[in-house]
Structures are given as structure tokens and as C-alpha cells.
Amino acid sequence: LILCIKITYVSFQVHELMLKDRPRQEAYYNAIMKNKALFKDKVVLDVGAGTGILSAFCAKAGARLVYAVEASNLATKVALDLIEENGLTNIVKVIHSQIEEFVLPATAEKVDIIISEWMGFYLLHEGMLDSVLYARDHFLKPDGLMFPSECTIYVAPCAVPTLFDYWKNIDGISMERFASALRSQKSTRPEITHLKPDDLLHEGIVFHWMSLMDVQASDLDEICFKDVMATQVAGKHQGFCIWFEVRFPGEESVILSTSPLASETHWKQCVVVLPEDSCEVLEEKSPVAFQISMKRNSNDARKYNLEVELLDPNVEEHPMPCGCHMTKCILTEAHLKMMDTS
């Protein structure tokens, strides 16, 4: 009995957290309600329906039929209550099933739209994109739509003041040794935290982009990226910040962003903290060379191992044009400007 109470509490707590995430809620609501023409009289599949609120939005937008497929016993009960409470049982069919075990009724056509809130930390970690792609390949019409339809992962060098500056003076007491041990511990695994816009040394560059209409699960086994970027402001380089955004289809295109420059979400940002001997104060336009990789965990396909390696900007090839303050890049930029004006 005690175990059941604990499981129920945790499950409700997770759903409460997501439902109170206003940027998340508003993005899905606006993506659906501002594009009602796409949903009118259509058949929708909600993968991992959870509480059923996205299915309810689709029904309110004019969908003819919504399959709300959810694997969790508790969430299925919550979804049934929500759909009944809002008088939508004639449109939304709540189905307790893994999507990989779901079967369309024998007389039913494939669906017009697949909607899902599948994203995990830094988009893929502990997410359920593989299940969404399975649903796309088995249940979506050739001209069907995915909500969301595009995803982008960004990366930027950053400061991490909560792990560095904060500990210099705690009510008049220095805790630098404690902070050093804390940073050493956290540098072995990514930190999920909120950064402020001022913590970024760059607005961020695209680490990875994909369309959910054609990406394959095997494409996501390993993602690697290498670049040299020039800092846009001076500051302390203490880590790399990773975030994502997703875009929804429709004339009224909606973007859900988890950037430090956007409103806070429950996904926060992922920060890879640098070892102390690699941290340094950088001037504006300083080159930062790095390689980053995300690789599926061999023991759990929904988890990723994330690695960042600092590289030597004197050795690595810079993008063209490059805005850093190295002489070769300044000369290249000047030469390109002369060519543009000639």
C-alpha cells in the first residue's frame, strides 16, 4: 500500500510539473488552435497521451477522431477522466497500450496527424522519439503531418555562476574548497539547470537539425559536431550550454524554445561543466574550438552519453567568415568585405 501511494504521488507530480510549464502548454495549444483548418474533420494519433490534454485540444480544434494512446495505467485513468469531464468521449478514444503494440481498427484508415510531447533533456535524452517514429512509419498517411515537425539542438560556450561565483562568499564565508569538490563531481556528468541570458558567451549555433517527416531512428544512434565559434561577449568560459527548440507546422507556425533567452521550461538547459584547469576568462571575439558528440547508451536506447572535447583553435579550421580576433580570420574577413564592395 505504501509503495502504491509513492508511485501515485510521483506520477501526479510529473504531470503537474509539465502542465504548469506555461511555454510548453501555450506552444502546443497555439500550434493546434491557430491551425484549426489542419485539424478539422481529421483523424489524430496522440502518442504518449499522458493526461490527455493534447488530445482534448485536438478535439476542440475540430478533429473527427483522436486516438489517445498511453502506456501508463495511472495516466490512462487520468486521461479517461479528463476526456469524460470535458464531454469529448465521442471524439477521443483513450487506449491503454504501448504504441508499438497499438493496432488500428480493421476498418480504419491511417491517421492524418501525429501529435506527441516526446522531448527529453537536450531533446533526445530520456525522450521517446523512437516510439513517435514507429508511429509515423506504421500509422501516418503519406501526406500526413507531424506535430512538432522540426527539431533543432543548439550549443554555446557559457559561464556557470551557480557552480563558481556563488561559493566565493556565503554570508561572509568562503567555500572555494567545497565548490572545487562540487565542480569536480559535476564535471563528470551533464548538469540540468537554468542559465540566465547573461551567462551565454554566444547566442548559440546549430549543433543538429532534423525533420520528423524523414529522420530515421538509426540516424540518432550517434550525432557528432565540430566547430570553432567566436565569443560575442567577454566572460568566463566555464562550460557549454545545450538546448533545443521544436517547430510546429501550419501557416501560424509556432516554436517552443528551451533557450536561456526564452521563458523557462521544465526541460531547463543541459550544461557540460569544464574541468577547472580548462576554464578561462575570454575576451569578445575569442575563438572557442570544440567537438561534441551524443551517443546512445548501449544499455538503454533512450539515454545518451554526451561528450565535449576542447580543441586547439590554432590548429582547427575556422568557418568562413569567422568573427574571431585571430589575425588570419581578421584578414580573411577584410578580404571578403573588399570583394563585396568591388
Side-chain angles (χ1 to χ4, degrees):
L1 178 60
I2 294 176
L3 180 61
C4 290
I5 291 173
K6 286 183 178 178
I7 291 174
T8 301
Y9 170 74
V10 171
S11 297
F12 270 103
Q13 189 179 50
V14 169
H15 290 300
E16 178 188 23
L17 176 66
M18 291 189 291
L19 290 169
K20 287 184 175 179
D21 183 335
R22 293 312 302 164
R24 167 193 181 270
Q25 283 296 109
E26 290 170 5
Y28 275 89
Y29 179 85
N30 290 331
I32 295 168
M33 293 303 179
K34 290 185 176 181
N35 293 285
K36 289 184 178 181
L38 297 178
F39 288 86
K40 184 172 174 55
D41 298 325
K42 295 297 192 296
V43 179
V44 180
L45 173 59
D46 184 356
V47 180
T51 62
I53 193 166
L54 300 186
S55 294
F57 289 164
C58 294
K60 293 280 189 180
R64 173 168 56 87
L65 176 63
V66 181
Y67 299 109
V69 181
E70 171 56 47
S72 162
N73 284 319
L74 176 64
T76 302
K77 174 63 169 63
V78 172
L80 283 168
D81 287 343
L82 182 145
I83 298 306
E84 182 178 345
E85 181 179 343
N86 288 273
L88 300 173
T89 53
N90 60 325
I91 300 174
V92 180
K93 308 305 176 186
V94 179
I95 300 162
H96 178 218
S97 173
Q98 297 276 353
I99 194 64
E100 291 81 2
E101 298 172 359
F102 171 65
V103 178
L104 284 170
T107 58
E109 295 182 356
K110 289 189 173 183
V111 304
D112 300 289
I113 297 173
I114 289 178
I115 192 166
S116 181
E117 196 275 77
W118 53 267
M119 296 83 75
F121 296 118
Y122 53 93
L123 189 67
L124 297 177
H125 188 76
E126 296 184 340
M128 48 177 284
L129 180 54
D130 284 5
S131 294
V132 174
L133 298 182
Y134 177 92
R136 178 200 66 190
D137 294 342
H138 288 79
F139 306 120
L140 185 65
K141 291 179 179 178
D143 60 347
L145 297 173
M146 301 286 288
F147 274 69
S149 57
E150 300 176 24
C151 313
T152 308
I153 306 175
Y154 294 87
V155 61
C158 66
V160 195
T162 55
L163 290 179
F164 288 84
D165 300 347
Y166 177 80
W167 301 100
K168 291 181 179 179
N169 186 332
I170 305 295
D171 298 321
I173 303 297
S174 172
M175 296 190 66
E176 278 295 303
R177 293 184 182 180
F178 169 81
S180 181
L182 181 66
R183 289 192 292 268
S184 177
Q185 180 187 64
K186 289 184 179 291
S187 66
T188 62
R189 59 184 300 171
E191 178 84 350
I192 304 300
T193 186
H194 283 299
L195 289 189
K196 297 178 180 179
D198 291 346
D199 296 332
L200 295 180
L201 304 186
H202 191 282
E203 64 187 353
I205 57 175
V206 175
F207 161 27
H208 184 70
W209 175 90
M210 61 184 169
S211 165
L212 293 193
M213 296 306 301
D214 53 31
V215 67
Q216 301 299 315
S218 59
D219 298 336
L220 307 175
D221 289 343
E222 185 172 10
I223 300 170
C224 295
F225 177 74
K226 184 167 76 168
D227 200 10
V228 179
M229 69 168 73
T231 58
Q232 295 172 324
V233 296
K236 299 174 182 177
H237 184 202
Q238 298 164 334
F240 286 90
C241 179
I242 303 168
W243 68 90
F244 69 86
E245 68 178 30
V246 298
R247 180 185 294 270
F248 298 85
E251 289 187 13
E252 292 283 344
S253 182
V254 173
I255 295 175
L256 169 58
S257 175
T258 63
S259 165
L261 304 174
S263 300
E264 292 184 1
T265 71
H266 75 279
W267 287 284
K268 305 179 183 179
Q269 291 90 40
C270 172
V271 177
V272 178
V273 182
L274 294 178
E276 285 195 65
D277 58 3
S278 297
C279 297
E280 57 181 328
V281 177
L282 299 180
E283 300 175 353
E284 183 182 351
K285 297 186 177 182
S286 294
V288 177
F290 66 98
Q291 180 171 290
I292 184 170
S293 67
M294 291 169 51
K295 187 174 182 179
R296 284 192 198 268
N297 188 304
S298 58
N299 297 318
D300 186 344
R302 288 192 173 180
K303 293 183 179 180
Y304 279 77
N305 296 321
L306 180 61
E307 293 184 359
V308 176
E309 180 183 359
L310 281 175
L311 305 174
D312 185 349
N314 294 297
V315 175
E316 298 300 322
E317 183 177 349
H318 291 216
M320 188 179 296
C322 175
C324 83
H325 57 40
M326 292 183 69
T327 302
K328 63 178 181 179
C329 293
I330 293 174
L331 293 175
T332 300
E333 185 177 21
H335 178 68
L336 291 173
K337 286 182 178 179
M338 288 177 61
M339 292 178 64
D340 288 341
T341 58
S342 60

